């Protein structure tokens, strides 16, 4: 490899990009070291190269850089971070550099933050049920080891609490196996990070967690690397050290905004809402880094969190995420306003991996049908409520009124639970049957007769 | 030909590489780029400059790096061994790649798509001295227990067969036959290359007339597709595109399935890979994998290869069609292909048309779906390709360009409905927004099973349409305000939705519903409607009809009566008729 050449002076700066002219032999995607006049180091990466010019994105942002006096070195390799077990219990910035005051992790194992695509042939189809202790998830939107299941939230809603509750309660079941949490924060406030760190500490997993922070006051471009650094460590721990890794990424909307910013400073043709046309592929390169590998013991389960601008699920960020992830847990403003925790929406939430992870020998035989029936009956509640809003509740038929009762009970008893409450899957299913037993037997057309025989337990008329 | 051209990189922008020096290189030729010899394809020639799209991760590539080309077009290798195999978008074998480099796909790996060492039992079907033409069948190989692979004289070759191998075991690289052609001796092997972007020729196109039976009631009965037809499945995320395509790939009665995972999830391909070897095709008792070829260029694999993947898939389909087979192609999702096209064209600086897509989006889609069809093959047999493409509209909004263009070129449109999916009514194919243009073409086939098929189907469809109209009224005034006969329509429509339209892919009985069973179920519901309506007119209350035990039993017939035991359904219909007659109006 030719000696690293230092270039002085830039030919231009635009947003997070710098342009360097008169270069020679610079590779696409190479890492760039940038030193400003006072010698402070920043890291960048080439986005485009030709025979004269390189376009470089600067992860720490360009503020304070000037065209004159900036020195640039092309390092000739891709962005790498160290990976090691020693990184558990530590706090890093988005580029994997320690920010907890403790020394640099010493290891010779370096990995490219972009990772490599997993060969679909080498994947193991995820089917192991994770009990989160939350009925709305376990009963109706089951989380599976190796799944990527995001939380679609809105501002002010308790997505962080739900993620923290999952992290705490999921841990309990994997006693005996190595469980770790990797938490990556992109563009969120310090209190959010603090909340997670505290709750990881309370549940005793902090010493077994790694934290990557690129907070609201860090340059936005660094957010593009943060989830990749976190996932690079996750891949090492899951696939080389056989751990079960839960990766929480928050907030993916901030990540996407950073990408939009970068794209617009490159003058690219925008697609929907100004986001670049490649947002889907870019998000996939993050989300697809979850799963299990054939022959491996470990797993990466991803719970990305994103806030939907104006609670709009068709906004490009939730929309493209939903197209890639294996379902979504959607939080609903109405339930939240009613004071229900967790306000997990009954209908738009979905776990795509649920079907193969539940049932006889995994959870319980009736699980799938109970879930399908709850969804179908709750959908009917929603229709009847819409009707009641117009014609008035008194005008509803007797059956419709029973459905309304079911709907209220479903929200207040089944969905609703305390932040500390950890329900077993049996408890969740039994509560589900208690709800369904409020309905007439013939309404349970999604459930096999023998299960109705076994679990259906209508209360006497006077108790209703 | 095959002369080595060399040049060098001058610029790199993502997967788009500009090079100079490659004098004489042609459009769509393969170029190998940089020290890793990354596979690329020439997609544009601009004076001195050759523009190459690279199908592998090209980070680290620099101006000055070498580019070479043998002047051959990007091609698919067609021969025995495709079945049960899984490839990336440019037909690199994923199993082989995992053997070379483990769980992750590294760049610069070159492997033959077909096993070159494996010996196949070849049986000659003609003797030397015969005159052969393009498409003539010279022999066969049992490729899998389900697929008899016919060895064809390639398009463009004809003359006297001067040599044909004896029955025996041969590799794909050995010469199996020799044809004395006008331009010299042609050496035929078990495998041939074919340029991926060029449709394979056929004698002529025919009008499709046989339905592709999918076992999915809402499709076969209400919105059927013919063998050789085209269909689109548009729907927002989670509405059931992939599940529908999986169900079709599992249960439809095509001979060969080509499943293309184009820019979608890795685990969905793993699902196919783990499921299909275990699932048994009831018609022949063999695992479904033995008729399936898979292409997986998932969302995290290089974007340009996603663009080629659908051509790789459809070229393989044409190859089996040319052997006289009925092939079904599932492409999930064509929107990701279109986005790859958009990304590449924007890097090339093309002027975009709608939503950043290039102006040629429509043409490219049309060309793709045009490769479907029932044809007379060069050998004179019939062969067909059915293409079913998933469409993933942003925000679930069907007015976007890919859905709009696609709907112009397909004749079957299975619109997925978010509200149905939210209520877990699957398949969430809307009976209001979907359509098919094949009803008339395939009516004769169904008539052989039941002379009144189309009339029955249309009557039931009308109940659903009437229900849809009445729902608008109910939303405003509630159902109690409707006269009993209209309330009865609402009730019957609800029954049709639950007992017929809704179908559970995970239920062992319900996942596949035979055409005969579909007819019986449909007729039982029509009996409920017609006989019941008479009773309603006679003053019987809708409530009393709904309360009949046999009515709640009819909802379960789909999952309780096996396809082989249809006479049982008649018993229920009889009980239904008796039950209805016994109901008396309140006095
Ligand atoms: N026919 C079906 N039977 C049962 N469940 C289904 C069916 N179709 C879809 N689903 C459910 O919906 C989920 C999403 O379906 P999928 O086909 O993956 O959606 P899409 O490809 O449109 O995003 C599946 O994981 C499954 O739970
Ligand atoms: Mg899908």
């Amino acid at each position: 490899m030719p000696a690293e050449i230092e270039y002085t002076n830039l030919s231009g700066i635009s947003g997070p990009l710098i342009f360097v002219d008169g270069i020679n032999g610079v590779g696409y995607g190479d890492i760039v070291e940038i030193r400003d006049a006072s010698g402070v180091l920043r890291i960048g990466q080439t986005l485009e190269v030709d025979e004269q010019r390189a376009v470089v994105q600067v992860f720490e942002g360009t503020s304070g850089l000037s065209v004159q006096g900036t020195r640039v070195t092309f390092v000739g390799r891709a962005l790498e971070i160290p990976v090691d077990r020693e990184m558990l219990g530590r706090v890093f910035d988005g580029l994997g550099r320690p920010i907890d005051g403790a020394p640099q992790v010493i290891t010779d194992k370096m990995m490219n933050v972009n990772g490599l695509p997993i060969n679909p042939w080498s994947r193991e189809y995820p089917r192991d049920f994770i009990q989160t202790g939350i009925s709305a998830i376990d009963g109706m939107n089951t989380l599976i080891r190796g799944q990527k299941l995001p939380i679609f939230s809105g501002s002010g809603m308790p997505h962080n609490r739900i993620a923290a509750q999952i992290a705490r309660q999921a841990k309990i079941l994997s006693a005996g196996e190595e469980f770790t949490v990797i938490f990556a924060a992109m563009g969120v406030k310090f209190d959010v990070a603090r909340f997670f760190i505290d709750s990881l500490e309370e549940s005793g997993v902090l010493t077994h967690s790694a934290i990557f922070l690129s907070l609201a006051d860090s340059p936005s471009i660094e957010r593009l690397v943060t989830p990749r650094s976190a996932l690079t460590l996750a891949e090492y721990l899951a696939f080389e050290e056989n751990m079960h890794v839960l990766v929480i990424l928050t907030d993916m909307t901030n990540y996407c905004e950073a990408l939009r910013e970068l794209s617009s400073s490159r003058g690219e043709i925008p697609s929907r809402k100004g986001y670049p046309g490649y947002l889907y592929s870019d998000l996939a390169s993050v989300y697809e880094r979850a799963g299990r590998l054939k022959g491996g013991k470990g797993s990466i389960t991803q719970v990305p969190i994103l806030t939907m601008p104006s609670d709009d699920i068709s906004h490009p960020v939730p929309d493209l995420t939903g197209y890639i992830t294996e379902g979504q847990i959607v939080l609903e403003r109405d339930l939240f306003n009613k004071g229900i925790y967790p306000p997990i929406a009954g209908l738009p939430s979905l776990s795509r991996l649920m079907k193969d992870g539940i049932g006889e020998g995994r959870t319980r035989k009736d699980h799938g049908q109970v879930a399908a029936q709850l969804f179908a009956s709750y959908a009917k509640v929603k229709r009847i409520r819409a009707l009641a809003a117009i014609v008035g509740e008194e005008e509803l038929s007797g059956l419709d009124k029973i459905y309304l009762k079911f709907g209220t009970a479903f929200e207040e008893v089944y969905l609703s639970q305390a932040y500390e409450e950890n329900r077993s899957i049996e408890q969740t299913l039994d509560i589900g049957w208690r709800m369904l037993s409020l309905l007439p037997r013939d309404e349970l057309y999604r459930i096999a007769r023998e299960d109705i025989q076994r679990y259906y337990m209508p209360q006497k008329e006077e108790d209703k | 030909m095959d002369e080595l051209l060399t040049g060098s990189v001058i610029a790199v922008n993502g997967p788009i590489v500009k090079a100079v020096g490659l004098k004489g290189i042609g459009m769509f030729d393969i170029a190998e780029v940089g020290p890793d010899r990354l596979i690329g394809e020439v997609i544009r020639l601009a004076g001195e400059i050759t523009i190459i799209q690279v199908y592998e991760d090209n980070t680290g590539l620099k101006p000055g790096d070498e580019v070479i080309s043998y002047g051959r077009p990007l091609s698919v290798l067609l021969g025995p061994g495709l079945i049960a195999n899984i490839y990336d978008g440019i037909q690199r074998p994923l199993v082989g790649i995992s053997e070379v480099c483990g769980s992750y796909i590294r760049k610069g790996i070159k492997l033959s798509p077909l096993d070159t060492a494996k010996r196949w039992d070849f049986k000659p079907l003609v003797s030397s001295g015969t005159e052969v033409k393009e498409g003539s069948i010279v022999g066969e190989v049992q490729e899998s227990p389900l697929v008899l692979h016919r060895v064809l004289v390639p398009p463009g070759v004809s003359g006297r067969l001067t040599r044909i191998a004896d029955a025996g075991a041969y590799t794909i690289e050995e010469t199996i036959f020799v044809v004395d052609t006008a331009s010299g001796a042609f050496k035929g092997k078990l495998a041939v290359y074919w340029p991926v972007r060029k449709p394979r020729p056929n004698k002529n196109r025919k009008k499709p007339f046989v339905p592709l039976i999918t076992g999915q009631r809402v499709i076969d009965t209400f919105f059927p597709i013919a063998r050789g037809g085209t269909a689109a499945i548009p729907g927002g995320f989670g509405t059931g595109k992939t599940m529908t395509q999986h169900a079709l790939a599992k249960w439809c009665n095509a001979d060969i399935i080509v499943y293309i995972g184009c820019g979608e999830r890795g685990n969905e391909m793993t699902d196919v890979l783990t499921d299909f070897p275990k699932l048994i095709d009831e018609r022949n008792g063999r695992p479904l994998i033995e008729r399936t070829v898979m292409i997986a260029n998932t969302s995290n694999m290089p974007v340009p290869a996603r663009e080629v993947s659908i051509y790789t898939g459809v070229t393989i389909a044409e190859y089996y069609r040319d052997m006289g087979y009925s092939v079904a192609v599932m492409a999930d999702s064509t929107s990701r292909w279109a986005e790859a096209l958009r990304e590449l064209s924007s890097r090339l600086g093309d002027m975009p048309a709608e939503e950043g897509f290039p102006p040629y989006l429509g043409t490219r889609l049309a060309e793709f779906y045009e490769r479907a069809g029932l044809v007379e093959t060069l050998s004179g047999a019939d062969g067909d390709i059915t293409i079913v493409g998933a469409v993933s509209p942003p925000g679930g909004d069907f007015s976007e360009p890919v859905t709009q263009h696609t709907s112009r070129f397909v004749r079957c449109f299975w619109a997925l409905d978010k509200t149905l999916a939210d209520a877990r009514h699957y398949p969430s194919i809307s009976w209001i927004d979907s359509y098919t243009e094949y009803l008339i073409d395939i009516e004769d086939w169904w008539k052989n099973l039941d002379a009144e098929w189309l009339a029955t189907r249309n009557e039931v469809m009308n109940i659903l349409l009437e229900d849809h109209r009445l729902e608008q009224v109910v939303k405003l005034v509630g159902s109690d305000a409707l006269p009993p006969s209209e309330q009865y329509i609402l009730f019957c429509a609800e029954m049709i939705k639950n007992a017929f339209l809704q179908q559970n892919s995970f239920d062992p009985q319900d996942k596949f519903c035979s055409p005969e069973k579909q007819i019986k179920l449909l007729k039982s519901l029509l009996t409920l409607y017609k006989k019941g309506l008479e009773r309603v007119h006679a003053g019987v209350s809708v409530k009393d009809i709904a309360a009949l035990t046999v009515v709640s039993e009819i909802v379960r017939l789909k999952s309780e009566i096996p396809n082989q035991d249809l006479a049982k359904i008649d018993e229920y219909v009889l009980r239904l008729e008796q039950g209805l007659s016994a109901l008396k109006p309140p006095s």
Side-chain angles (χ1 to χ4, degrees):
Chain A
M1 175 166 298
E4 289 172 6
I5 305 173
E6 191 174 87
Y7 296 84
T8 41
N9 298 343
L10 309 176
S11 58
I13 301 179
S14 156
L17 304 178
I18 58 173
F19 304 89
V20 191
D21 277 358
I23 52 141
N24 188 9
V26 168
Y28 163 67
D30 278 359
I31 285 305
V32 186
E33 292 178 357
I34 303 127
R35 282 184 181 77
D36 63 19
S38 56
V40 176
L41 174 71
R42 304 180 199 211
I43 303 292
Q45 185 177 23
T46 60
L47 294 177
E48 217 178 303
V49 288
D50 63 27
E51 284 173 312
Q52 291 94 40
R53 165 177 275 216
V55 180
V56 178
Q57 58 175 335
V58 185
F59 296 122
E60 289 93 335
T62 50
S63 91
L65 282 186
S66 54
V67 170
Q68 250 111 56
T70 299
R71 288 166 297 146
V72 176
T73 314
F74 293 90
V75 180
R77 58 177 157 75
L79 186 58
E80 293 178 330
I81 63 159
V83 289
D84 196 275
R85 268 175 179 270
E86 292 296 304
M87 293 173 77
L88 295 174
R90 302 286 310 270
V91 184
F92 305 92
D93 72 0
L95 302 181
R97 299 173 295 205
I99 50 171
D100 51 5
Q104 183 74 42
V105 177
I106 312 227
T107 171
D108 26 349
K109 183 96 182 163
M110 300 290 286
M111 282 169 69
N112 184 332
V113 293
N114 291 316
L116 287 167
I118 297 177
N119 186 333
W121 168 260
S122 305
R123 284 181 185 268
E124 178 77 41
Y125 194 72
R127 345 186 50 143
D128 297 340
F129 166 66
I130 301 179
Q131 182 174 300
T132 67
I134 299 174
S135 292
I137 298 178
D138 295 352
M140 299 174 71
N141 303 289
T142 315
L143 179 63
I144 302 290
R145 223 170 231 179
Q147 183 170 17
K148 37 192 184 291
L149 188 63
I151 300 177
F152 288 8
S153 187
S155 45
M157 290 206 274
H159 41 267
N160 295 323
R161 281 165 74 81
I162 297 172
Q165 191 173 359
I166 293 174
R168 167 162 45 89
Q169 299 183 166
K171 165 217 158 202
I172 292 165
L173 270 199
S174 40
E177 286 168 314
E178 275 200 284
F179 173 80
T180 94
V181 178
I182 294 182
F183 174 72
M186 288 88 67
V188 297
K189 292 220 197 64
F190 180 71
D191 350 333
V192 172
R194 186 77 257 166
F195 168 78
F196 271 98
I197 295 173
D198 288 348
S199 69
L200 290 174
E201 179 148 38
E202 271 163 39
S203 39
V205 287
L206 188 62
T207 50
H208 240 72
S209 305
I211 292 170
F212 292 81
L213 299 180
S214 172
L215 298 177
D217 54 359
S218 328
S220 73
I221 190 107
E222 187 186 317
R223 296 172 200 164
L224 297 179
V225 192
T226 313
R228 296 188 162 81
S229 300
L231 287 163
T232 303
L233 179 61
E235 278 170 349
Y236 169 78
L237 295 173
F239 303 137
E240 297 190 28
E241 299 281 336
N242 295 319
M243 293 184 180
H244 292 293
V245 188
L246 173 66
V247 181
I248 297 173
L249 307 170
T250 188
D251 175 330
M252 288 305 289
T253 304
N254 296 337
Y255 169 91
C256 295
E257 277 170 5
L259 194 69
R260 175 168 66 179
E261 208 178 305
L262 173 69
S263 166
S264 91
S265 43
R266 293 184 71 186
E268 290 170 341
I269 303 159
S271 168
R272 283 174 74 218
K273 297 222 156 114
Y275 291 93
Y278 51 80
L279 179 59
Y280 173 86
S281 300
D282 185 278
L283 283 172
S285 73
V286 172
Y287 296 141
E288 278 287 315
R289 294 172 78 176
R292 313 198 58 159
L293 296 181
K294 264 187 204 160
K297 286 210 198 75
S299 63
I300 299 178
T301 308
Q302 268 190 40
V303 178
I305 296 172
L306 59 87
T307 46
M308 301 182 280
S310 342
D311 290 354
D312 176 12
I313 197 171
S314 70
H315 182 278
V317 175
D319 188 52
L320 294 178
T321 297
Y323 271 118
I324 303 162
T325 52
E326 284 143 351
Q328 63 280 337
I329 303 290
V330 184
L331 304 192
E332 188 181 291
R333 186 72 61 186
D334 271 357
L335 290 172
F336 175 64
N337 290 341
K338 281 190 202 166
I340 287 171
Y341 173 88
I344 295 178
L347 302 182
S349 301
L350 167 74
S351 163
R352 293 163 188 265
L353 298 187
M354 177 170 179
K355 52 191 164 65
D356 297 299
I358 61 167
E360 210 156 8
R362 297 185 173 273
T363 54
R364 207 167 83 181
K365 173 174 165 282
D366 56 322
H367 190 162
Q369 294 189 336
V370 168
Q373 187 65 60
L374 285 170
F375 277 120
S377 303
Y378 189 59
K380 195 152 173 181
V381 170
K382 292 265 173 168
R383 280 207 303 276
I384 295 168
R385 281 185 186 163
L387 177 61
I390 294 161
V391 300
E393 226 171 275
E394 317 74 53
E395 295 299 307
L396 295 178
S397 71
L399 181 62
D400 286 357
K401 285 181 186 152
I402 297 179
Y403 265 101
L404 289 187
K405 271 196 194 147
F406 161 81
T408 313
F410 175 77
E411 291 170 358
E412 290 175 359
V413 181
Y414 186 89
L415 288 187
S416 172
Q417 68 185 84
Y419 177 59
E420 293 78 25
E421 188 180 355
N422 188 0
R423 294 182 185 159
S424 72
I425 182 64
E426 286 75 22
Q427 279 173 318
T428 290
L429 288 171
D430 290 345
I431 300 172
W433 273 106
R434 248 165 63 208
M435 303 297 105
L436 292 175
S437 299
L438 296 170
L439 297 171
R441 177 186 282 256
D442 275 350
E443 292 297 301
L444 307 188
Y445 50 84
R446 297 278 176 95
I447 304 185
R449 276 182 229 256
E450 72 251 27
D451 290 325
I452 296 186
Q453 217 77 343
R454 181 149 175 214
Y455 298 107
Y456 183 68
M457 40 177 177
Q459 295 181 313
K460 284 189 224 82
E461 205 45 50
E462 58 266 31
D463 307 344
K464 279 192 186 172
Chain B
M1 231 192 118
D2 283 14
E3 175 200 352
L4 182 69
L5 309 172
T6 58
S8 64
V9 172
I10 57 164
V12 188
N13 175 0
I16 300 292
V17 171
K18 290 184 183 164
V20 288
L22 298 149
K23 279 231 167 53
I25 197 165
M27 272 295 273
F28 305 127
D29 280 355
I30 304 174
E32 297 180 14
V33 182
D36 290 324
R37 297 275 182 97
L38 305 175
I39 302 286
E41 184 185 8
V42 176
I43 52 166
R44 207 161 281 184
L45 294 167
E48 294 283 277
I49 296 175
T50 306
I51 298 178
I52 300 161
Q53 76 179 16
V54 180
Y55 292 123
E56 304 179 66
D57 173 21
N58 61 339
T59 49
L61 197 66
K62 320 179 170 56
D65 282 347
E66 189 182 52
V67 182
I68 62 165
S69 173
Y70 293 96
R72 281 193 294 244
L74 187 67
S75 298
V76 182
L77 182 60
L78 302 165
L82 290 166
I83 297 289
N85 225 325
I86 178 163
Y87 297 106
D88 76 355
I90 51 169
Q91 212 203 4
R92 290 185 307 171
L94 290 176
V95 182
I97 290 181
S98 81
E99 281 158 8
V100 177
C101 62
S103 304
Y104 297 96
I105 301 175
R106 285 174 208 284
K107 54 187 173 181
I109 293 178
K110 294 195 178 44
L111 288 170
S112 166
L114 298 173
D115 189 340
T116 50
K118 184 172 165 100
R119 298 188 163 273
W120 297 92
D121 271 324
F122 170 78
K123 198 169 107 200
L125 293 176
V126 292
S127 41
S128 108
T130 327
E131 283 299 320
V132 292
K133 297 195 308 280
E134 51 177 9
S136 298
I137 299 167
V138 297
E140 61 195 25
V141 162
Q142 194 70 46
E143 183 177 2
S144 83
L146 284 183
V147 180
L148 184 64
H149 193 110
R150 305 195 170 103
V151 182
L152 310 175
V153 176
V157 176
S158 64
R160 207 168 54 86
L161 196 68
T162 55
R163 192 167 86 73
I164 178 126
D166 294 332
Y170 302 92
T171 69
I172 57 164
E173 293 187 328
E174 288 171 83
T175 299
I176 297 292
F177 60 95
V178 180
V179 183
D180 191 16
T181 74
S183 54
F186 172 85
K187 289 186 184 155
K189 299 176 180 170
L190 288 180
V192 290
Y193 281 99
W194 187 264
V196 63
R197 297 186 190 272
K198 186 171 158 192
R200 285 173 62 90
N202 56 67
K203 251 191 208 144
N204 67 71
R205 297 176 70 91
K206 297 177 150 186
K207 194 173 146 133
F209 62 98
V210 179
L212 182 79
I213 296 300
T214 67
Q216 312 302 304
R217 289 183 292 269
V218 61
I219 294 179
D220 293 348
T221 297
F222 289 108
F223 306 103
I225 181 169
R227 284 184 176 193
T230 48
I233 317 181
F237 63 83
T239 49
K241 298 176 294 298
T242 303
M243 288 285 297
T244 306
Q245 293 204 319
H246 280 195
L248 261 56
K250 285 173 187 167
W251 312 122
C252 85
N253 63 353
D255 302 312
I256 308 282
I257 304 292
V258 178
Y259 196 98
I260 311 168
C262 173
E264 293 283 313
R265 302 179 183 85
N267 275 332
E268 288 173 348
M269 292 313 293
T270 314
D271 194 14
V272 173
L273 283 164
T274 32
D275 245 19
F276 279 43
K278 287 185 275 179
L279 289 171
I280 301 298
D281 187 341
E282 281 174 20
R283 293 171 303 159
N284 44 46
R286 301 295 316 173
L288 289 167
I289 196 82
E290 291 175 359
R291 65 163 189 181
T292 310
V293 185
M294 288 150 287
I295 314 288
N297 210 97
T298 55
S299 57
N300 55 340
M301 287 160 74
V303 172
R306 195 190 290 171
E307 190 266 327
V308 198
S309 66
I310 67 166
Y311 301 108
T312 301
V314 83
T315 305
I316 291 173
E318 285 172 344
Y319 178 61
Y320 285 99
R321 173 203 68 190
D322 290 347
M323 296 179 204
Y325 288 120
S326 185
V327 188
V329 177
M330 305 294 145
D332 186 11
S333 156
T334 59
S335 295
R336 306 300 165 220
W337 164 83
E339 284 162 11
L341 209 62
R342 172 171 72 187
E343 187 172 333
L344 297 164
S345 97
S346 108
R347 287 194 196 266
L348 289 168
D350 288 349
M351 262 306 265
E354 313 131 278
E355 297 191 16
F357 286 106
Y360 46 82
L361 172 68
T363 325
R364 292 284 174 87
L365 273 167
E367 283 165 3
F368 171 63
Y369 282 107
E370 205 44 36
R371 291 174 79 166
L374 168 65
V375 303
E376 183 184 350
T377 63
L378 294 180
S379 76
D382 277 359
D384 60 74
I385 296 178
T386 308
I387 298 183
V388 178
V391 183
S392 319
D397 174 6
F398 289 1
S399 67
E400 59 89 38
V402 183
T403 316
Q404 283 306 310
H405 283 296
T406 303
S407 70
R408 289 162 50 209
F409 309 122
V410 297
R411 294 184 58 206
C412 211
F413 193 77
W414 298 324
L416 300 184
D417 183 311
K418 180 86 182 113
T419 318
L420 290 176
D422 278 354
R424 285 7 184 210
H425 173 115
Y426 297 119
S428 65
I429 296 177
S430 160
W431 46 92
I432 304 299
D433 301 327
S434 302
Y435 59 81
T436 178
E437 293 174 11
Y438 295 109
L439 270 181
I440 307 303
D441 302 347
I442 59 164
E443 187 190 352
D444 282 346
W445 185 92
W446 279 92
K447 266 192 183 156
N448 280 332
L449 289 186
D450 187 301
E452 299 152 27
W453 174 72
L454 191 58
T456 313
R457 180 245 177 228
N458 289 344
E459 273 182 282
V460 175
M461 190 66 202
N462 280 333
I463 302 174
L464 291 168
L465 294 175
E466 187 60 14
D467 168 72
H468 180 66
R469 191 185 66 81
L470 290 173
E471 284 289 347
Q472 313 304 318
V473 182
V474 171
K475 268 188 201 151
L476 297 176
V477 297
S479 59
D480 280 358
L482 298 180
S485 61
E486 293 192 332
Q487 288 185 25
Y488 192 63
I489 293 181
L490 294 181
F491 166 73
C492 287
E494 193 66 19
M495 283 291 290
I496 297 165
K497 292 174 207 168
N498 291 331
F500 193 87
L501 294 170
Q502 202 237 325
Q503 188 169 0
N504 185 350
S505 285
F506 307 123
D507 182 298
Q509 293 300 352
D510 199 25
K511 62 189 182 190
F512 176 86
C513 187
S514 70
E516 292 81 0
K517 184 170 164 186
Q518 296 188 28
I519 293 177
K520 289 238 183 233
L521 289 177
L522 200 64
K523 288 197 151 174
S524 72
L525 291 162
L526 198 56
T527 305
L528 173 69
Y529 171 71
K530 285 186 169 166
K531 289 269 152 52
L533 196 60
E534 284 170 17
R535 304 302 295 143
V536 171
H537 285 314
V540 170
S541 81
V542 175
K543 242 194 209 121
D544 288 345
I545 297 180
L548 287 173
T549 321
V550 63
V551 168
S552 64
E553 284 167 339
I554 285 182
V555 182
R556 295 172 183 277
L557 296 182
K558 58 180 186 182
S559 53
E560 291 184 353
I561 309 279
N563 288 317
Q564 300 79 12
D565 215 359
L566 299 183
K568 284 227 177 89
I569 298 182
D570 299 337
E571 293 167 23
Y572 283 94
V573 175
L574 195 66
R575 277 180 48 210
L576 174 67
E577 287 175 328
Q578 289 164 346
L580 286 170
S581 320
L583 288 177
K584 297 276 172 300
S587 41

